[in-house]
Amino acid sequence: MKIAFVGKGGSGKTTLSSLFIRHLAATRAPVVAVDADINQHLGAALGLDEEEAAALPAMGAHLPLIKDYLRGTNPRIASAETMIKTTPPGEGSRLLRIAEDNPVYEACARTVPLDDGEVRLMATGPFTEFDLGVACYHSKVGAIELCLNHLVDGRGEFVVVDMTAGSDSFASGLFTRFDMTFLVAEPTRKGIAVYRQYKEYARDFDVALRVVGNKVQGPDDLAFLRAEVGEDLLVTFGHSDWVRTMEKGRPPRFAELEQPNRDALRTLHDAVDASYDRRDWRRYTCQMVHFHLKNAQSWGNAKTGTDLAAQVDPAFALDEFVTDERPAATPAPA
């Protein structure tokens, strides 16, 4: 299952995504965590020190390797250089699975041990000196979109992405790549404004969107959120001494997280599990193709000197049981 955490800067989405990742890891589920925020803080929220977090490989720096691996023997893709962030898989493409070893994970992921279990952590990478003044952050998250386009995941497997703040993910088709999007909102007008913008942009794409209230301090805050977002409000988080201690670099054991916040994480997990039955792989593939053709016409054809529409394999549909030329990955132990 693919889950995104979004919200305005400072809403606490990185903190809540890290808590949810810890919760999933404690169930021994296979988890890939991705830091797709321009401010790279997910590693620290998962317990890495500054040096360890800074040493995480940047996915963007390995984009040629990612493209070459995913291209496989797909005859519709002449070379890795002609792949763009929206290139869809087809016959002969290599597909990614969560519980496997492959060159993409070897180059871009690092295993992070937690109190109970472990996760693979990947990061887009921060701006470099070369990027300043000449690149936008959307170029960084292109590697994530390409990987998600080639990902086969099933029930009980999780990719959790801490997205960049605000509604920047709408600059590409990335916002449609998730089974569930949790929008973290503070009980303020600014927090609700991001929700309204996200809701409007996502309306035509059947995005599963639920609001997670954060920093809720009492009945008035709860009533405000309910009045503003209605049934989209799933659950709320209040003050946490555990989080305060963690943010000081002294994380207690996860089992010591306050019970109301543990219950709230279980509610998120239940919502994600329920979304599995609404999966529509055909629609997912069609959305992938839609955004690829749109990007091809807008800039991709000119940049690559290739008709990228020819990369679309009309007979191919991604689904949970599709295979490529490799043997199936060995399931993770229960």
Side-chain angles (χ1 to χ4, degrees):
M1 308 295 289
K2 298 176 285 290
I3 304 108
F5 279 80
V6 302
K8 80 172 186 66
S11 63
K13 64 180 182 59
T14 298
T15 297
L16 292 191
S17 63
S18 71
L19 290 179
F20 189 58
I21 290 165
R22 289 175 184 270
H23 164 83
L24 293 174
T27 70
R28 303 299 184 183
V31 182
V32 174
V34 182
D35 192 342
D37 196 348
I38 189 171
N39 299 306
Q40 305 270 287
H41 295 314
L42 184 58
L46 291 174
L48 298 185
D49 60 32
E50 291 185 11
E51 184 176 346
E52 291 170 327
L56 288 171
M59 293 180 69
H62 295 282
L63 192 55
L65 178 149
I66 293 172
K67 289 180 177 181
D68 190 61
Y69 180 76
L70 297 179
R71 182 170 72 98
T73 60
N74 188 333
R76 295 176 178 273
I77 303 175
S79 68
E81 288 73 24
T82 63
M83 294 180 73
I84 62 173
K85 63 183 180 180
T86 54
T87 294
E91 189 69 28
S93 296
R94 288 196 182 99
L95 304 175
L96 300 176
R97 294 172 177 82
I98 292 176
E100 70 170 1
D101 294 320
N102 59 54
V104 174
Y105 291 155
E106 183 178 349
C108 302
R110 295 294 179 265
T111 298
V112 177
L114 300 172
D115 293 342
D116 302 297
E118 61 185 26
V119 300
R120 276 175 166 150
L121 176 60
M122 305 170 74
T124 56
F127 271 121
T128 65
E129 184 177 347
F130 176 78
D131 296 323
L132 296 177
V134 297
C136 68
Y137 199 65
H138 308 136
S139 63
K140 298 288 185 183
V141 299
I144 297 172
E145 186 169 359
L146 193 58
C147 286
L148 291 181
N149 281 354
H150 290 74
L151 178 70
V152 177
D153 58 314
R155 187 191 291 274
E157 300 177 318
F158 301 93
V159 174
V160 181
V161 183
D162 179 21
M163 299 283 283
T164 192
S167 54
D168 281 358
S169 60
F170 288 98
S172 70
L174 185 58
F175 73 98
T176 66
R177 303 296 84 197
F178 301 100
D179 296 289
M180 177 63 68
T181 297
F182 290 129
L183 189 145
V184 180
E186 300 170 88
T188 65
R189 287 187 297 174
K190 288 183 179 179
I192 296 305
V194 173
Y195 157 75
R196 289 175 177 159
Q197 189 177 42
Y198 220 99
K199 179 88 169 178
E200 179 182 355
Y201 290 165
R203 181 177 295 117
D204 295 334
F205 296 95
D206 198 26
V207 172
L209 179 67
R210 301 302 302 271
V211 174
V212 180
N214 194 31
K215 306 177 186 179
V216 175
Q217 297 182 6
D220 186 64
D221 285 347
L222 181 58
F224 175 83
L225 287 172
R226 285 177 172 164
E228 295 295 332
V229 309
E231 294 182 354
D232 284 342
L233 181 63
L234 176 64
V235 72
T236 63
F237 287 80
H239 174 78
S240 172
D241 289 331
W242 190 98
V243 170
R244 289 292 297 273
T245 304
M246 180 269 291
E247 291 178 340
K248 293 174 182 176
R250 304 191 299 271
R253 289 192 59 81
F254 183 64
E256 297 175 19
L257 181 69
E258 302 86 357
Q259 191 61 48
N261 291 328
R262 294 180 64 84
D263 293 341
L265 292 172
R266 180 69 252 179
T267 299
L268 298 186
H269 195 166
D270 289 344
V272 170
D273 282 347
S275 72
Y276 178 86
D277 294 328
R278 299 192 299 271
R279 277 189 155 192
D280 184 343
W281 284 98
R282 176 66 62 176
R283 175 178 58 81
Y284 186 82
T285 303
C286 287
Q287 288 178 340
M288 192 188 310
V289 170
H290 167 78
F291 284 106
H292 180 62
L293 295 178
K294 193 172 182 180
N295 278 268
Q297 184 177 18
S298 175
W299 60 270
N301 290 344
K303 181 176 181 179
T304 63
T306 304
D307 178 12
L308 297 180
Q311 293 180 343
V312 177
D313 184 345
F316 183 89
L318 196 65
D319 66 51
E320 196 168 329
F321 307 104
V322 69
T323 59
D324 54 20
E325 69 270 22
R326 299 170 301 149
T330 302

